[in-house]
């Protein structure tokens, strides 16, 4: 049995988690858990779609795999959640992979799990990885560094889940899952990567989440998360620069 914990916080981006769920549920002997502080309904970032948290953190102390989604309007609030950060640090001692999709990497970073690692995120958040002591990679869909695996934005969660499926059940099973969900991307236009998008498209994409994300709780939590990260990095840098005194 492979226990897979999908972190289900209020305001998460639905596709970040439902995409991986659609893949990982097809693994043999998969025990899928939607985890949060307590069981019950959790509303996604749309404010309309509701997912049920099936297990509490305390019921899931040693999952094999953890997947943390992003959420454009709420990720900073939950990156500032001490219980979530403690649980992630604790379970990372046992997981085969602790993974994130999109800006879920901000939550991993806030938990201290990205220090001295390579990581990616949504293109709007990838450079923020530096604040958590990580080396950002903006041109990779999936970045593996030890037991930490980070994926780029939103739809990259499906790629991440197939990557995990291959390592758990082999390439043939992963290929069969890809066919079962008919994962054969053929977009009608090629603006899904910053490198291929025009300046106008990038500007319009940047404006999409702005109206919902600029709220007092979001800004307050974001400031606290980034402030803690900056202080931690400054202290680490100071320790590294400290001269070694000669012995007599």
């Amino acid at each position: 049995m492979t226990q897979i914990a999908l972190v289900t916080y209020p305001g998460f981006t639905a596709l970040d988690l439902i995409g991986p769920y659609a893949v990982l549920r097809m693994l043999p002997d998969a025990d899928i858990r939607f985890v949060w502080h307590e069981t019950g309904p959790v509303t996604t970032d749309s404010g309309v779609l509701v997912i049920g948290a099936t297990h509490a953190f305390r019921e899931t102390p040693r999952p094999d795999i953890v997947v943390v989604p992003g959420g454009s309007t709420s990720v900073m609030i939950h990156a500032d959640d001490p219980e979530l950060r403690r649980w992630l640090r604790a379970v990372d001692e046992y997981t085969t992979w602790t993974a994130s999709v999109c800006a879920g990497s901000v939550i991993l970073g806030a938990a201290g799990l990205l220090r001295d690692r390579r990581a990616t995120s949504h293109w709007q958040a990838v450079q923020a990885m530096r604040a958590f002591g990580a080396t950002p990679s903006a041109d990779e869909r999936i970045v593996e560094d030890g037991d930490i695996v980070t994926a780029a934005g939103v739809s990259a969660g499906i790629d991440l889940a197939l990557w995990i499926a291959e390592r758990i059940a082999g390439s043939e099973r992963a290929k069969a899952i890809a066919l079962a969900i008919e994962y054969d991307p053929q977009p009608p236009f090629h603006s899904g990567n910053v490198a291929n998008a025009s300046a106008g498209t990038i500007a319009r994409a940047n404006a999409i989440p702005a109206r919902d994300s600029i709220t007092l709780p979001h800004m307050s939590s974001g400031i606290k998360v980034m402030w803690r990260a900056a202080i931690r990095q400054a202290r680490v840098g100071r320790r590294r620069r400290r001269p070694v005194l000669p012995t007599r």
Side-chain angles (χ1 to χ4, degrees):
M1 186 73 70
T2 301
Q3 190 177 103
I4 303 170
L6 307 178
V7 178
T8 312
Y9 60 79
F12 75 88
T13 298
L15 185 56
D16 284 14
L17 210 61
I18 299 306
Y21 166 71
V23 171
L24 297 174
R25 65 184 288 270
M26 295 187 184
L27 289 172
D29 299 319
D31 172 19
I32 303 287
R33 298 185 173 203
F34 291 90
V35 300
W36 187 232
H37 292 282
E38 57 187 10
T39 60
V42 178
T43 305
T44 66
D45 59 352
S46 69
V48 178
L49 181 64
V50 177
I51 302 296
T54 60
H55 293 77
F57 290 143
R58 64 181 178 277
E59 299 175 291
T60 314
R62 296 185 67 163
D64 299 293
I65 297 165
V66 170
V67 180
V68 181
S72 60
T73 63
S74 61
V75 70
M76 283 298 187
I77 292 173
H78 299 296
D80 194 36
D81 180 339
E83 184 177 348
L84 173 57
R85 295 197 307 266
R86 281 195 297 269
W87 180 79
L88 286 169
R89 286 192 295 269
V91 298
D92 184 60
E93 296 292 323
Y94 306 103
T95 58
T96 303
W97 292 291
T98 299
S100 66
V101 180
C102 196
S105 54
V106 171
I107 295 177
L108 295 188
L113 299 179
L114 298 185
R115 200 169 301 125
D116 298 323
R117 296 180 187 264
R118 295 173 62 252
T120 192
S121 188
H122 190 280
W123 60 271
Q124 292 171 316
V126 68
Q127 294 306 322
M129 299 299 96
R130 296 186 190 278
F132 303 111
T135 300
S137 178
D139 58 354
E140 293 178 84
R141 190 84 163 159
I142 298 169
V143 175
E144 175 193 13
D145 194 328
D147 70 322
I148 301 293
V149 188
T150 53
V154 192
S155 62
I158 299 174
D159 301 60
L160 170 71
L162 288 169
W163 183 96
I164 291 172
E166 180 183 18
R167 282 149 182 80
I168 290 176
S171 61
E172 293 308 312
R173 180 65 177 233
K175 289 176 184 177
I177 293 173
L179 179 57
I181 65 171
E182 203 165 354
Y183 185 56
D184 183 27
Q186 299 176 43
F189 30 76
H190 297 283
S191 62
N193 185 290
V194 174
N196 300 324
S198 69
T201 298
I202 293 170
R204 285 186 286 274
N206 274 316
I208 287 173
R211 182 185 62 185
D212 296 326
S213 62
I214 301 176
T215 64
L216 186 58
H218 185 274
M219 291 174 66
S220 176
S221 296
I223 290 168
K224 285 190 283 187
V225 168
M226 300 309 288
W227 178 258
R228 280 197 301 266
I231 292 297
R232 186 163 53 240
Q233 283 301 103
R235 289 178 175 175
V236 169
R238 184 175 299 172
R239 286 197 297 269
R240 288 174 177 171
R241 291 193 300 270
R242 187 173 295 165
V244 178
L245 299 177
T247 56
R248 296 190 178 186

